Amino acid sequence: MRGKQEKELGISRFELSAGRKDNNGLIGRSWAMVFASGGYSVKIYDNQPGQSTKAIVEIKKQLQELEDAQMLRGEATALQQVALISSYDDLSQALEGAFFVQECVFEQLEVKQSIFQDIERLVGKDVILSSSTSCLVPSNVFSKVQNRSRCLVSHPVNPPYYVKLVELVPHPETAPAVMDTTHTLMTKVGQAPVRLRKEIDGFALNRVQAAIIAESWRLVQDGIISVKDIDLVMSEGLGMRYAFIGPMETMHLNAPEGLEDYMKRYGPGIQRVLTSFGPVPDFCGEGSKGIINEMCELIPSDEQHLSARKDRRDQLLMGLAKLKKDH
């Protein structure tokens, strides 16, 4: 399969995990698994010797577990997909033959700027440079790159293997062809790419998420609802339908004549509620302690309890991904 895929594409694929990313390299490993599932040759680089080799060991374990659970993505077996992934401690070797670079270092602007300067010196002018950043806009990330027309952010959702959304965010100078190529690539490997037409702080997903977090926090802090019950509002309410259709389609379907009709009926009420929203909460102030304590009573913040809940989350996401695939 590997030879056939590479011959067909005439290209190889490089996935960069330089330095240590949050979640112990989870995003970098997940990207490697996603691209390998699409049949691409993946090269992993880490600037800490031995870390990229350890990543492949963990990837092999995860792919085998996915195969056993009949949730492995792609047409190849777990062992065939692992064979597509190689590790490097030398950046120039890792970049050789690449057509696409996905950076996964931690969220520190100066580090990202530096690694992209290093990468640009080692790759051809047509190689696409992509960042996994979730909170830094492309104009800052790529400010020290000479050819910014081939740069963009491809922001995944954690964990990318189960949650397929990828936000494609252009630099002001990004060429349309780069957005098109990346969209095609992400689609081929089974992700669900969305295009932002221009950069904005927080992109789309984190802006929507921030609005939900802020109002949830305010409702708990103001004594309206408990931590447990606000989570149920999402998991057993909004989240049930939002797992399959978004807010725009939800409104479109919830009125006899579609979205315009919905807004005529409910728009004034929505505006009234919005004007009652309070200021941005202080998430780290004195008022936050009660919320944090309430959360920790439900799920203690020690490693054992958090790991167990993360495993449960991933298992549920795996089941949801399968359900969405089957429907």
Side-chain angles (χ1 to χ4, degrees):
M1 178 206 168
R2 180 181 184 179
K4 179 181 178 182
Q5 181 75 36
E6 291 179 354
K7 182 178 179 181
E8 177 186 354
L9 293 169
I11 48 182
S12 63
R13 166 65 182 66
F14 167 70
E15 193 282 331
L16 172 68
S17 181
R20 305 312 307 139
K21 176 130 180 108
D22 293 337
N23 301 309
N24 297 316
L26 171 62
I27 301 299
R29 294 199 307 270
S30 294
W31 271 128
M33 292 164 59
V34 166
F35 284 108
S37 74
Y40 287 94
S41 175
V42 182
K43 296 180 179 181
I44 301 177
Y45 164 77
D46 196 297
N47 65 351
Q48 296 187 21
Q51 287 295 335
S52 56
T53 301
K54 291 180 181 178
I56 293 181
V57 173
E58 180 61 29
I59 287 169
K60 181 178 180 179
K61 177 185 174 184
Q62 288 182 268
L63 290 177
Q64 289 175 332
E65 290 173 351
L66 288 163
E67 189 171 52
D68 292 341
Q70 297 184 324
M71 283 299 298
L72 185 69
R73 291 168 57 170
E75 298 178 0
T77 66
L79 288 178
Q80 287 173 326
Q81 292 185 28
V82 171
L84 290 169
I85 306 171
S86 53
S87 63
Y88 295 83
D89 293 332
D90 181 270
L91 181 58
S92 61
Q93 291 180 357
L95 288 166
E96 186 177 351
F99 80 99
F100 189 92
V101 178
Q102 185 70 35
E103 164 271 316
C104 302
V105 306
F106 51 87
E107 297 283 17
Q108 186 173 330
L109 179 60
E110 294 77 13
V111 175
K112 289 182 181 290
Q113 290 173 334
S114 176
I115 192 67
F116 277 116
Q117 282 183 298
D118 292 340
I119 292 168
E120 187 176 39
R121 287 193 288 266
L122 295 168
V123 298
K125 61 182 177 64
D126 295 325
V127 176
I128 295 174
L129 306 185
S130 175
S131 174
S132 297
T133 182
S134 61
C135 63
L136 302 171
V137 294
S139 58
N140 289 335
V141 173
F142 301 108
S143 63
K144 297 184 179 181
V145 173
Q146 296 299 311
N147 178 15
R148 292 183 283 272
S149 66
R150 39 104 166 256
C151 300
L152 79 162
V153 165
S154 301
H155 171 226
V157 184
N158 187 25
Y161 198 87
Y162 307 126
V163 185
K164 297 183 178 182
L165 182 78
V166 181
E167 295 182 287
L168 305 183
V169 188
H171 184 281
E173 298 176 32
T174 301
V178 169
M179 292 288 285
D180 291 342
T181 298
T182 305
H183 191 280
T184 299
L185 173 63
M186 295 297 174
T187 302
K188 282 183 177 179
V189 298
Q191 297 302 94
V194 296
R195 303 175 194 243
L196 272 67
R197 293 169 181 165
K198 56 184 178 180
E199 67 178 25
I200 186 172
D201 190 17
F203 312 146
L205 184 141
N206 280 332
R207 291 179 74 88
V208 173
Q209 179 173 251
I212 294 170
I213 289 171
E215 184 56 17
S216 298
W217 198 274
R218 283 190 293 258
L219 288 170
V220 175
Q221 188 167 267
D222 292 346
I224 307 297
I225 195 169
S226 68
V227 167
K228 179 180 179 180
D229 285 351
I230 194 62
D231 273 1
L232 287 172
V233 166
M234 181 60 69
S235 64
E236 299 297 332
L238 293 174
M240 292 291 288
R241 58 190 180 197
Y242 285 173
F244 295 92
I245 60 174
M248 294 299 184
E249 185 177 350
T250 295
M251 292 185 291
H252 196 53
L253 300 181
N254 278 357
E257 298 179 17
L259 182 59
E260 184 177 9
D261 185 25
Y262 182 94
M263 282 308 178
K264 287 179 180 178
R265 293 168 179 262
Y266 306 113
I270 294 172
Q271 288 178 312
R272 186 188 71 250
V273 171
L274 287 171
T275 60
S276 71
F277 280 20
V280 175
D282 181 358
F283 297 112
C284 298
E286 283 295 318
S288 68
K289 292 182 179 179
I291 299 175
I292 293 169
N293 290 338
E294 193 175 339
M295 185 73 254
C296 290
E297 287 178 8
L298 294 169
I299 305 172
S301 58
D302 61 90
E303 183 178 355
Q304 180 180 356
H305 284 90
L306 290 179
S307 294
R309 293 297 288 189
K310 289 174 185 177
D311 289 342
R312 174 181 178 273
R313 175 202 65 190
D314 289 350
Q315 289 296 318
L316 291 172
L317 284 172
M318 189 188 304
L320 180 59
K322 186 176 188 303
L323 181 63
K324 287 171 70 71
K325 180 181 178 182
D326 293 342
H327 290 79

